[in-house]
Amino acid sequence: MKTLIKTIVLPALVLIGTATQVSAQTKRSNAKQKTVVTTTKRTTTVVNKANNRRVSSTKVIYKKPTRKVVSVRSIPNKTIVKHKGQNYYYANNKFYTQSRGRYIVIAPKVGFRIKTLPANHKRVRFNTHNYYISQGIFYIQINNAYEVVDPEIGTVVYELPEDYEKVTIDGQTYYEYANVLYEKVQVDGTRAYEVVGIIDME
């Protein structure tokens, strides 16, 4: 009887124990593989978002087909801003270009410089940059001047200028001002707008 137990029952118990251990290891192994796949998907999405920060203007669809153009006959106390060999004008915290005897309000181009920040500016720190924002325009300090720049992706602001526009890109709705794309977000329960891209004009 003892011989029968040793030759049949003990090997059977060893086989069952081994099979259970292998099955448990397989389940653990599968669980690890699933976690890796999920992480990889998240990483890929973030990388794609970062790489696609510049969006072709041909992909942007504006909700309104035309934009209202604001112009005035004269600008008192204007400052001339030279940019790439062309004259622009700065007064009342706004930039203008001249056309047919009138001054047309424009969003300043990247690279414009002014000596004094607009009175209503706000300071925002993101990563290593101090941005100064006024009416949707981002400035950084360079020596004794302030230069218009594109903000970094991820920069958050709490308000947009009144004349921002709603746009869609690949069916998603965004907010645009001065070629900067924003997405509405919540920060500590407060509505805010995160920079998600820059439109390349073509």
Side-chain angles (χ1 to χ4, degrees), residues 8-43:
I8 296 174
V9 175
L10 282 177
L13 287 173
V14 170
L15 279 173
I16 290 168
T18 306
T20 305
Q21 192 174 10
V22 168
S23 174
Q25 285 178 348
T26 305
K27 284 180 183 174
R28 269 190 241 121
S29 175
N30 285 344
K32 283 181 184 173
Q33 287 174 351
K34 285 178 185 172
T35 305
V36 170
V37 169
T38 305
T39 306
T40 305
K41 283 181 182 173
R42 282 196 200 113
T43 304

Side-chain angles (χ1 to χ4, degrees), residues 22-188:
V22 168
S23 174
Q25 285 178 348
T26 305
K27 284 180 183 174
R28 269 190 241 121
S29 175
N30 285 344
K32 283 181 184 173
Q33 287 174 351
K34 285 178 185 172
T35 305
V36 170
V37 169
T38 305
T39 306
T40 305
K41 283 181 182 173
R42 282 196 200 113
T43 304
T44 304
T45 304
V46 172
V47 169
N48 283 343
K49 190 174 181 181
N51 287 342
N52 291 336
R53 69 181 296 266
R54 299 205 79 86
V55 178
S56 168
S57 60
T58 58
K59 293 184 177 182
V60 180
I61 300 169
Y62 285 83
K63 188 174 180 182
K64 295 178 183 175
T66 59
R67 185 174 192 152
K68 184 179 177 182
V69 176
V70 178
S71 67
V72 293
R73 291 191 204 289
S74 64
I75 310 171
N77 303 320
K78 62 183 177 285
T79 302
I80 296 175
V81 178
K82 286 192 177 285
H83 183 70
K84 295 187 178 178
Q86 201 167 354
N87 283 347
Y88 296 89
Y89 307 92
Y90 179 72
N92 307 320
N93 300 331
K94 294 179 183 175
F95 290 86
Y96 301 83
T97 186
Q98 194 172 25
S99 176
R100 299 182 183 183
R102 294 184 74 84
Y103 294 94
I104 300 166
V105 176
I106 60 164
K109 298 178 181 180
V110 169
F112 275 31
R113 284 192 182 187
I114 54 176
K115 291 187 178 179
T116 306
L117 284 169
N120 61 350
H121 72 274
K122 291 181 180 172
R123 186 172 157 236
V124 173
R125 184 163 179 81
F126 183 75
N127 287 338
T128 58
H129 287 98
N130 281 324
Y131 292 107
Y132 301 92
I133 306 170
S134 175
Q135 297 186 9
I137 305 303
F138 290 78
Y139 301 86
I140 58 169
Q141 186 170 8
I142 298 179
N143 299 323
N144 295 325
Y146 297 91
E147 183 173 312
V148 175
V149 295
D150 283 332
E152 291 176 272
I153 302 302
T155 305
V156 172
V157 297
Y158 289 89
E159 57 185 31
L160 295 178
E162 289 180 7
D163 51 345
Y164 73 83
E165 295 204 65
K166 277 190 179 182
V167 300
T168 55
I169 302 168
D170 297 330
Q172 296 283 340
T173 299
Y174 299 96
Y175 302 86
E176 180 269 339
Y177 185 79
N179 297 332
V180 178
L181 291 168
Y182 299 87
E183 189 172 33
K184 193 184 287 185
V185 294
Q186 289 282 322
V187 177
D188 298 328

